[in-house]
Structure formats: structure tokens, C-alpha cells
């Protein structure tokens, strides 16, 4: 099944947004699940290094040439084969991509995204127009607020695995010609709207909504097992005549005990870990918070500015603090907006010596003893 994407922008001078009721049940804002936190981390890994992400998702035997096994995920292989995705075109497109700052989790965007995924399930359709609302109206109805700058939406109603769904958004396989039937040209959607949205540096927050309702067995289009809506957005505030879009510090604290790959994996996140931000020169505590139930965190850096070195610590991480500086640009949304880039900092904890280590040592001793005659 192809994926669908749509993006909308606004001007600050046109500030009224009509808000209508969504069809069906309404979700409540909540922490991301471990799977949603994982997908967020995958998205930020892609934004930080687009070319490196492609090498993690597909296999080339040489630049622009498919390896015998195109991906370690068989569902990705099936999609690439079905659409006839051209390796040389894909490699060339990725070579020109530019990295972007991370996006932070937003629970209200998750509400609107989950509501829309449920709607796709109930209507058994994958479309951006099922409720008669615009994307901005959807995210405002979900609680994102009226001070939005930009809104985007990606849909994939037949996601098989998390890797399959993420790969589909990033590679953007599909019908290049748009005629709905084979041959599909390069096998990459034109334009690659999902990929473009995920690399748009003006998007600063994200909600990934999996359906929360049972998928009927007779569904033909919204079949899951993950019916996915991604809502992306950015917001502004007005302070003494100047519009700002503040930076957000996002990341995770995890113990790399499942995949052992130096990357967050569902089940590895640590909840309730304190995360503190300091002025590195004066050692003044500026921002503090805790990781959520999935081990992720998102801290507003409102009021922090460029030209200062900041330090972030996860107190129980067992790793050195990380430092960062802020970058800002001026974007025109009908009025100039000072947009501060988000920052990403994840911490892999170091297990302390304890019962786990003692058990391992004891096990080795037992093995040694058993080898003795």
C-alpha cells in the first residue's frame, strides 16, 4: 500500500482557525509508548544523518546497486520489490539530502494522530480527507493550540513492523507516475513528500498515532497491524513584539540491555530519571524534568538563547554530561519568527556492579567446576 503525506503552512497575520469535532472517540494526551518513543528516536536518527540512515535500512552491494538481500526486514524487501524501487535513483536522492534538527514528542499531536488513525480503521480508508478537516484543524482539535506555524501529516495504514513503517516514510516507496498501476517508474513517490516532511527543519514537534481501536477482519485498506498517522507541527509565542519558536531538548535515557546496539530499543527506557540543564559557565540550574514512562524526555528551553554553552545531565545515567549551544534562524510566516533549533541528547546508562554481575561470575565458576574431572 502506498503512503500519503500532506503539509500546511500558515501566516501569523491570519490567526483564526475553525475547530470542528472529530468523528468517533477522542484520545487523551499521554506519554509515548515504548514503540512510539522508538519511532521518534528513529526519526531523529534520520534527521541527524539521512545518508547514514539509508545504510541502516537497506543493503547495497555497491553504491546504487541492490545487494542480493535488499533489507534485513522482509516487509521492506517486499515493498521495494513490489514497487520496483530503483537503487541508483534512491542513492542519488539521498546523496543530496540535508540534515535537520530533531523533533520532540508532543502528546497533543499524538492525540490528533491517534484519532485520525482510528478514523482510518473505522472507515477502512487511507486518505487525508476523511473527516472534512484540514490538518491544522485536526491538530488544534487535539489540543496543540492555535499558535501553530506549520502542520504536516503522514499516513501509512498497512504498517507491518516499526522498521517497515519507518523505512516506508523515509524511502517513500510508491508510484512515481501516480497512475495507480504498474509499472511504477522509479518506485519512489514524486515528490517524496513523507521524506520531505520528516526532514523539514521548521517542524519541531511530532506525535505518532497508532490506532487504539480494533481493526475489523474485513478491512481491505486500513489493515495494520499498525495503522499510523504522524502529525508534525511547530508553534510560536509573542514576547515584547517579537515572535519566537523556542528550542526543545529531547532524547532518552536507556539501558542497552536488549539489542546492545548503542541505540534506544523498546523495553530499554528508564522512567523517572532526572534531567537537568545548566549554564555551563556559571553552573546555574536553568531547566529540569524527568524521563517519561517510556524513558524519553522533552524539555522546553524557552528563554535560553544563542552564544551560551549549556550542560545537560541525566543524574543516574552513569555517563558524562553533554554540552550544547543553540542555533537560531529567522523564518517568515507573514511576520519574522526567531526559530531556535531543537537539541537531542540521549544517555545510555552504565550498569552498576551488583547482583547481575555476581550471578554472571557465579555462573562462570559453575561452568569451570563442571569441566573438572
Amino acid at each position: 500500500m502506498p503512503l500519503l503525506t500532506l503539509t500546511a503552512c500558515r501566516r501569523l497575520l491570519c490567526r483564526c482557525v475553525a475547530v470542528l469535532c472529530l468523528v468517533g472517540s477522542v484520545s487523551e494526551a499521554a506519554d509515548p509508548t515504548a514503540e512510539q518513543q522508538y519511532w521518534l528516536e528513529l526519526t531523529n536518527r534520520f534527521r541527524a544523518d539521512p545518508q547514514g540512515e539509508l545504510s541502516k535500512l537497506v543493503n547495497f552491494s555497491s553504491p546504487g546497486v541492490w545487494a542480493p538481500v535488499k533489507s534485513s526486514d522482509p516487509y521492506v524487501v517486499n515493498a521495494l520489490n513490489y514497487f520496483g524501487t530503483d537503487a541508483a535513483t534512491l542513492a542519488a536522492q539521498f546523496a543530496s539530502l540535508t540534515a535537520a534538527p530533531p523533533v520532540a514528542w508532543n502528546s497533543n499531536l499524538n492525540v490528533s494522530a491517534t484519532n485520525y488513525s482510528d478514523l482510518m480503521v473505522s472507515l477502512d480508508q487511507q486518505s487525508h480527507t476523511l473527516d472534512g478537516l484540514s490538518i491544522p484543524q485536526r491538530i488544534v482539535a487535539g489540543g496543540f493550540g492555535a499558535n501553530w506555524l506549520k502542520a504536516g501529516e503522514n499516513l501509512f495504514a498497512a504498517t507491518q513492523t516499526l522498521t517497515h513503517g519507518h523505512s516506508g516514510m523515509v524511502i517513500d516507496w510508491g508510484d512515481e507516475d501516480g497512475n495507480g498501476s504498474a509499472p511504477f517508474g522509479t518506485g519512489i513517490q514524486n515528490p517524496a513528500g513523507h521524506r520531505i516532511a520528516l526532514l523539514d527543519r521548521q517542524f519541531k514537534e511530532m506525535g505518532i498515532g497508532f490506532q487504539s481501536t480494533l481493526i475489523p477482519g474485513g478491512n481491505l485498506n486500513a489493515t495494520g497491524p499498525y495503522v499510523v498517522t504522524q502529525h508534525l507541527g511547530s508553534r510560536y509565542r509573542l514576547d515584547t513584539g517579537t515572535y519566537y519558536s523556542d528550542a526543545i531538548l529531547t532524547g532518552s535515557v536507556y539501558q542497552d540491555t536488549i539489542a546492545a546496539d548503542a541505540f534506544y530499543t523498546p523495553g530499554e527506557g528508564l522512567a523517572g530519571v532526572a534531567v537537568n540543564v545548566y549554564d555551563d559557565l556559571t553552573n546555574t540550574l536553568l531547566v529540569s524534568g524527568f524521563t517519561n514512562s517510556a524513558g524519553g524526555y522533552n524539555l522546553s528551553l524557552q528563554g535560553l538563547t544563542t552564544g551560551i554553552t549549556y550542560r545537560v545531565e541525566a543524574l543516574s545515567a552513569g555517563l558524562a554530561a553533554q554540552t550544547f549551544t543553540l542555533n537560531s534562524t529567522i523564518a517568515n510566516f507573514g511576520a519574522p519568527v526567531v526559530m531556535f533549533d531543537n537539541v537531542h541528547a540521549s544517555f545510555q546508562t552504565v550498569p552498576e556492579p551488583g547482583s547481575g554481575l555476581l550471578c554472571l561470575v557465579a555462573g562462570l565458576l559453575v561452568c569451570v567446576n563442571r569441566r573438572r574431572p
Side-chain angles (χ1 to χ4, degrees), residues 164-287:
H164 172 242
H166 171 65
S167 299
M169 299 294 189
V170 168
I171 296 170
D172 225 345
W173 57 61
D175 183 4
E176 179 192 26
D177 303 324
N179 57 18
S181 60
F184 299 114
T186 63
I188 303 170
Q189 295 197 52
N190 183 24
H194 304 87
R195 187 195 309 156
I196 291 169
L198 291 179
L199 284 178
D200 190 330
R201 66 182 302 114
Q202 290 183 346
F203 284 134
K204 301 179 64 175
E205 297 180 84
M206 184 179 193
I208 305 168
F210 304 149
Q211 82 285 353
S212 61
T213 187
L214 183 66
I215 301 175
N219 271 19
L220 298 176
N221 299 301
T223 57
Y226 297 96
V227 178
V228 181
T229 303
Q230 295 178 338
H231 278 169
L232 300 108
S234 53
R235 294 177 290 179
Y236 70 91
R237 64 180 174 88
L238 179 61
D239 185 0
T240 60
T242 301
Y243 293 105
Y244 295 95
S245 182
D246 295 301
I248 303 170
L249 176 65
T250 185
S252 61
V253 180
Y254 65 97
Q255 192 164 356
D256 199 20
T257 53
I258 296 177
D261 58 355
F263 189 76
Y264 179 97
T265 298
E268 292 181 343
L270 297 178
V273 176
V275 179
N276 295 331
V277 179
Y278 300 85
D279 183 314
D280 194 47
L281 180 62
T282 65
N283 205 38
T284 304
L285 177 63
L286 302 173
V287 180

Side-chain angles (χ1 to χ4, degrees), residues 41 102 249-253 275 297 312 322 324 343-347:
E41 295 293 328
L249 176 65
T250 185
S252 61
V253 180
V275 179
Y297 70 92
V312 54
Q322 301 179 39
F324 65 89
V343 181
H344 184 274
S346 283
F347 295 86

Side-chain angles (χ1 to χ4, degrees), residues 18-155:
V19 180
L20 304 177
C21 293
L22 291 173
V23 177
S25 61
V26 177
S27 303
E28 295 183 358
D31 292 344
T33 64
E35 288 77 16
Q36 290 165 335
Q37 181 67 39
Y38 176 59
W39 201 324
L40 178 71
E41 295 293 328
L42 289 175
T43 299
N44 283 330
R45 189 176 72 181
F46 169 55
R47 285 171 69 99
D49 181 9
Q51 293 76 26
E53 189 67 11
L54 183 63
S55 69
K56 292 178 174 63
L57 301 180
V58 300
N59 302 321
F60 295 119
S61 60
S62 60
V65 178
W66 289 125
V69 179
K70 296 179 181 179
S71 172
S72 59
D73 188 315
Y75 294 107
V76 174
V77 174
N78 290 342
L80 296 174
N81 288 339
Y82 177 80
F83 288 107
T85 302
D86 184 70
T89 302
L90 184 65
Q93 289 181 357
F94 267 74
S96 66
L97 298 181
T98 303
V103 287
W105 180 264
N106 183 280
S107 292
N108 294 117
L109 290 178
N110 179 56
V111 167
S112 57
T114 301
N115 288 339
Y116 201 76
S117 290
D118 286 344
L119 187 59
M120 286 196 290
V121 169
S122 65
L123 298 180
D124 189 24
Q125 295 185 54
Q126 177 178 275
S127 169
H128 292 285
T129 60
L130 297 180
D131 57 5
L133 303 181
S134 67
I135 299 172
Q137 287 170 342
R138 284 184 199 130
I139 69 172
V140 170
F144 190 63
N147 285 1
W148 59 273
L149 290 171
K150 197 168 189 176
E153 179 177 87
N154 289 339
L155 307 176

